[in-house]
Amino acid sequence: MTMQINAMNESHLDAAFGLTQRLSWPHRREDWRQALRLGEGVVAEQDGVLLGTTLFWRWGSDAATVGLVIVADEAQGKGIGKALMQAALAKLEGYQVRLHATGAGRVLYQKLGFAGVGAVAQHQCRALERVTPLLPGGGQRRRPACPDDAPALIRLDARAHGQQRDRLIRLLLDDAALRIEVLEEQGTATGFACLRRFGHGYAVGPIICQDLTRAKLLISALLAELSGEFVRIDTDAASGLGEWLTSLGLIEVDRPVTMIRGVPWQPQEMQAFGLMSQAMA
């Protein structure tokens, strides 16, 4: 039987989870389920065996991200990764598409029209030391998010990277996040950071605010709850967070290349200091 490219559904999740297990990627089955719940995917199959995956997420009418592009070791070198990417991109015609590339995938993505625009630094710590929360300044306060914050957080998020991630923000507010910390200034929400379960422990992200000082204020409040825990933060390598995160014991362990097919978005007063994930960005 020849290899087939099919739409991904929940029946593929166990085999997809197995692919990341064999690669020693940290994704739990629940991380896969959540990713598919928010987006779409294509899989390569032969004789009922899953050979590869690619997931993609449409954030509004013109922005999308691609991730979890995986080909099983035994199927490498057969053009499966290219076929999966072409199938995904065919569904994203007219979209600006963003992804984060490993060294192995970068050449393929360049051939498909992607260009490097930066890098994302993966910082993590197996057992976080105690972190003291930084104190808000005058006119500032931190507070837990509530469902009524959804419209404000969606607007802040979109101003950082041009993606309308309503479904993601509402999912985080509903049950996917353990906590979302909101920064208020003069009674108006001006930033937020999310704490959630991911992989080996906990991840902080998305982190959306105006500047580095505000980012540290939000992050420190969430890290203060995580002494002794595995923690991961994925941040733009140019964000300026790296030195501070390293000083807290969150060392950089990887630096994939950020690649875009289309015109890059120019942030509008907000910055994405932390990603939801390298796949969903």
Side-chain angles (χ1 to χ4, degrees), residues 62-115:
D62 54 12
T65 51
V66 171
L68 292 170
V69 183
I70 305 170
V71 177
D73 285 343
E74 64 272 17
Q76 295 282 340
K78 300 178 180 179
I80 293 174
K82 181 179 180 181
L84 286 165
M85 280 296 297
Q86 287 175 327
L89 292 174
K91 297 178 181 292
L92 297 173
E93 191 65 37
Y95 282 75
Q96 181 241 59
V97 184
R98 178 187 179 98
L99 57 77
H100 293 102
T102 63
R106 187 173 180 179
V107 173
L108 168 62
Y109 302 139
Q110 287 174 330
K111 291 178 179 178
L112 292 171
F114 287 85

Side-chain angles (χ1 to χ4, degrees), residues 132-137 140 142 217 220:
T132 301
L134 300 174
L135 296 177
Q140 295 180 326
R142 288 181 304 229
L217 184 66
S220 67

Side-chain angles (χ1 to χ4, degrees), residues 109-160:
Y109 302 139
Q110 287 174 330
K111 291 178 179 178
L112 292 171
F114 287 85
V117 295
V120 58
Q122 178 184 331
H123 287 261
Q124 66 183 45
C125 178
R126 292 192 175 276
L128 186 69
E129 296 292 331
R130 187 174 184 275
V131 174
T132 301
L134 300 174
L135 296 177
Q140 295 180 326
R141 77 168 181 132
R142 288 181 304 229
R143 62 167 177 81
C146 66
D148 289 344
D149 288 313
L153 302 192
I154 290 167
R155 285 195 298 271
L156 294 173
D157 189 62
R159 287 168 61 191

